[in-house]
Structures are given as structure tokens and as C-alpha cells.
Amino acid sequence: MESLIGLVNRIQRACTVLGDHGGADGALPTLWEALPSVAVVGGQSSGKSSVLESVVGRDFLPRGSGIVTRRPLVLQLHKTEAGQPEYSEFLHLPRRKFTDFALVRKEIQDDTDRLTGKSKQISPVPIHLSIYSPNVVNLTLIDLPGLTKVAVEGQPESIVQDIENMVRSYVEKPNCIILAISPANQDIATSDAIKLAREVDPSGERTFGVLTKLDLMDKGTNALDVLEGRAYRLQHPWVGIVNRSQQDINKNVDMIVARRKEQEYFANSPDYSHLSNKMGSEYLAKLLSKHLEAVIRARIPSITSLINKSIDELESEMDHLGRPIAVDAGAQLYTILELCRAFERVFREHLDGGRPGGDRIYGVFDNQLPTALKKLPFDRYLSLQNVRKVVSEADGYQPHLIAPEQGYRRLIEGALGYFKGPAEASVDAVHFVLKELVRKSIGETQELKRFPTFQAELAAASYKALEGFRDDSRKTALRLVDMESSYLTVDFFRKLPQEVEKGANPAAPNADRYAETHFRRIGSNVSSYIGMVSDTLRNTIPKTVVHCQVREAKRSLLNHFYTQVGRKESKQLAQLLDEDPALMERRQQCAKRLELYKSARDEIDSVSWAK
């Protein structure tokens, strides 16, 4: 039966492959964050790298003076069956197995240089490395850049704080176990690792103290006060480590041999022999593995709860993204019709008031049209000079006797022509609003977001239909104006003789009929008639526009499009339903994460309840 840590390592590995892992800011979101891991913290040259290599039993980390670890290294150890070959894999090189650990070291250095350049800069973007070996315990370790106090040449002044912020972003998480590395040949009170661990874990519940370089202490001194918890007490016991000497490193002394020499050192040391069974890198690895498994087991309920919540969110997102499209023509046509209905529903909501926008059409009738009618230049057209000119030209060589009927007709016909402008402007204004509502409705129809090609086709079909409605509306509105010109109201003419004769001498010479008051009376009469027509058109133009444009848009916007779609072959329908590649990728990633989380939930339940 697979161990809990082995399972967690595998889940974490799957998370990193799917991108569900720490980002550029070092944060480990969602499932990655819920799964405990061990962060290795220490000052520069504290022996961090040597401790890690001792735990792994292999030389694989870059070495040198100053800052060597310049990116976080997420190291996942997978214990394999005895006799199986050792190998490593990088997340950024998923199909390549490294059996030569010298090449692992080189790839860590090269990948760091690829991101930061050949400089002493740091980066929070982690490197993910998995090591499969029968000589390791199941464990996840995160090697972090060494804490420093001074920026050296080639580094920005902010690097001291940058490194601390990066390290802190990992160790302050409640699921992080802190492996605080301190050299024994320095006062524990000056330990950078212990200082930071105490800030983020004041109770010491998550901190394991490791004391390195015990063999390099001055003769006659020892580190028993620290190892036995008198100098600085932690909830977990301190572990002493004896790393390989520089001479051993230069001679490429095998790590297995180095582990044996470390055990012999503690067993034969007069100072530490009574602690020898709780010292050394092998004991440290087993201690961490055992504790990590206990932490995982204790947090299984919260991990399972997070997984269940994530599964619900992912399934909701899958429903939102939509399922993959079927390949047969019938299902494709059904999908298209459903998309059209969804769009029409949103479009009607805009018109009927369920969504904003339809009120702009009312604004055309209530504000734009009345304003345009008021601005028509009737004062200039019915000026005394223009009335005299039109009436005189209408009489020709025969002067009118009483009422200049032809003059009236020409004045009225000329005035009514001005109404065509506001009528056409109202039609165009409503057309613009309807086009804008189509655009907004397409953008607000969630089901359409998957299909950019179909969106474009739907918009084009809708715009074409609206243009047809606009043309019909324009013809009808202009016909209303022409109708007013074609037949003048009878009552208007019947009143004219009475108005002319009132207070006048019928026997007066014709010259009196061309006096200024006579033409002013004609202009006033025409103005009254034009006002009556204006009131009529103010009511009938909106009726025409609504009947020909708005009602038709609600009732038959996509009728022609439905006819066209019904004639298309399966291949053409598939082209219409060509999804946005980014959305397809998002759905695929969502499906993979959903599969991962469901598998993780089942496997964690299975392993956690195993006897």
C-alpha cells in the first residue's frame, strides 16, 4: 500500500504539471498549499545544501561561494523498490530522465541562469525536481535561497529584504514545516534561520532545528546546550549533522560512505555518543518523514474539505464553460438554435426593461424627436417676405380673388418637406440603439462566449435584419409626411373665407389683398396648420418606428438566419461552432484539474483508512 507521503508527493507532482502550484510570488495556492511540505531555511554558508544532499544521498546541488541557491527548489523524493535505478526529472523537462546527478546540478544552474542571467540576481519562480531512488524516504523539501545581511557586488541593495520576503512567503504558511539550519560554530543567538522561524512560528510547533558543522567547533567546546534544548528550546528535538568536508567533496567521496562516517563520528564522540541514535542525516530524514506523515494524517479532514470545495467550484466552472460540442449535424443544429434563443432572450430583456438600454429608444421619441421638430426653420420659411414671394408666384399672371388657394398649398407643401429630416433621424437613431443592443446582448450571453466565429455570424445576420427593418421604417415614415402633403384637412379651408372677410370690405380693390396684413394672416394660418401636422407626426412617427423596427426586431430578428442555418451541412455548422482556442484550453485544464482532485480525494480516503 502506498504511503501517505508518497501519495501526497504524487498529487503535488500532478499539481505542478497542471500549473496548480507556486507562482512567481512563491505562493502555493489551492491543493498545493493544503498539502504540507518542508522548507529548508538558513543563512548563506550554513550548510543547507550539504544537509539536503545528505538526506538525498547524492551530490546534485550547485556549489560555490556567496549566493548559490538563487531560486526556490521544490524537491520531491519518491522512495522506489530496492534494486530500482535512481533517476531525476525536472518539471520543465518532463520527458527527460537524468541518471547522472552531475547533469542534475548543471541543469539547476543552467535553468537559473536562463531566468536570471549569469548574475547574482534571485528569482521567486521555483524549479521543480523529482528524485526517484530506493535510498530516500518519501518527502517534499523546498530549498530556499540563503538569508544574507549584506548585498555584494552585482546585487541590488534590496536583495537582503527580497530574499527574506521570498523565504517568509513560504514559511509563514501554516502547513509549512520549517527546517531551520544553523552552523554549530556560530552563536545560536545570531542564527538567521532561528530568528525568522521564531517570528512566523513563535510556539515552535512547526520548526525543526538542525545544527551543522559540529566537527568544526573549537576544540574543548561542544553544542550540547543547543542539542539538548537548553540554549533554545523547540517542541521537536534538535538534530546534529556532520557534513562532508571540503576535502571529501573534492575527492568525490560517496554519500553512502559519508553517511557511515557521520554515524561513526557521533558514535565515537565523547560529547555526543549518548545522542548518537538521534543524530545524523539519516535520522533527520526519517524524523521528518514520520512527522510529515503525521501532519498529513491529522489534516486529512481539512484537505478533503478543500478538495470537495474545489471539485464543486471546478464542476460549476465546467458548466459555465460548456461541454464539448457533438460532431453530428443534428446536435450541432440544436446547439446553434439554443444559442440563438439565449441571445434573443437577452436582447428582448434589453428592449422590455429587464436589462438597461431599451429606455434609449423612448429617449429618441420623448427628447430627440420633439427637439428636432422645434428646431425646424418655420419662422424663416413663413417670414413675410417668403410668404409674399410664394403666394405671388403661385398666382401667376392671374391675381387671386379672395383666398390664395394655390399659395396656401405651395406654402404648406414646402413646409411639410422639413418634417422628413426629423422622421429619418428618428429612424436612424433607433436603428443605432438596436445595433448597440445587439452588440451588448451578444457580449452578455454567456453561452456565446465559447464561439467567437458564431458571435460574428450572429452579429452580421442581426445587423443585416436591422438594416431591412430600418429601410422599411424610413419608407413608412416618409410616406406619412407625403400623406400629409397629399391631402390638406377640409376644415382648414372652410375657415379661410370667414377669416379673410372678417372686418374687411369685400369690394376693396385687389391691391388691398396684397397688403402686409394679408400676407401675415396667410403666414399665421399656414403656421397653425403646420403646428397641427407637427403634433400629429410627433405621435405617428414613433408608432411607425416601433411597428417597423422595434416590434420586428423582437419578433423576427433571426428569421432569415434560421433559414440559412437550416441549409448548412455538418462541416459548415462545425465551422460556426469553432470555439475560442483559449477557452478550449481552459476547459481542458479545468477537466484535468477536476480529474486530479477527484482522484486525489478517492486515493487520500483509501490510504488514510488503510490499516
Side-chain angles (χ1 to χ4, degrees), residues 415-447:
L416 291 179
Y418 285 106
F419 286 115
K420 291 183 178 181
E424 289 184 305
S426 298
V427 170
D428 291 338
V430 171
H431 176 71
F432 177 81
V433 172
L434 290 173
K435 283 187 66 176
E436 181 66 15
L437 293 183
V438 165
R439 186 190 66 79
K440 287 185 66 176
S441 298
I442 290 176
E444 293 172 6
T445 304
Q446 294 297 325
E447 295 88 339

Side-chain angles (χ1 to χ4, degrees), residues 362-412:
Y362 175 73
V364 172
F365 304 145
D366 193 52
N367 297 314
Q368 291 180 234
L369 177 59
T371 301
L373 292 174
K374 288 180 181 178
K375 289 183 178 179
L376 291 177
F378 292 130
D379 289 344
R380 185 173 68 251
Y381 179 75
L382 295 176
S383 66
L384 178 64
Q385 181 181 359
N386 194 56
V387 170
R388 177 185 288 113
K389 177 176 179 294
V390 172
V391 170
S392 299
E393 290 175 353
D395 283 345
Y397 73 93
Q398 290 281 6
H400 63 268
L401 299 178
I402 300 176
E405 180 178 335
Q406 292 300 322
Y408 270 104
R409 288 187 180 277
R410 289 195 182 182
L411 281 170
I412 292 172

Side-chain angles (χ1 to χ4, degrees), residues 207-268:
T207 303
F208 282 80
V210 175
L211 212 57
T212 62
K213 304 184 180 182
L214 291 169
D215 54 329
L216 300 182
M217 297 184 70
D218 292 337
K219 290 185 178 180
T221 62
N222 60 52
L224 286 177
D225 282 349
V226 176
L227 292 176
E228 292 179 347
R230 292 188 294 274
Y232 186 81
R233 179 174 294 279
L234 295 170
Q235 290 197 23
H236 305 285
W238 283 81
V239 178
I241 299 289
V242 174
N243 299 325
R244 289 180 300 165
S245 65
Q246 189 61 49
Q247 184 178 5
D248 289 340
I249 294 172
N250 294 338
K251 291 182 178 181
N252 293 320
V253 172
D254 183 83
M255 292 298 297
I256 304 301
V257 174
R259 283 181 178 179
R260 188 169 59 251
K261 290 176 64 177
E262 181 186 42
Q263 292 172 354
E264 291 173 355
Y265 172 85
F266 284 111
N268 298 327

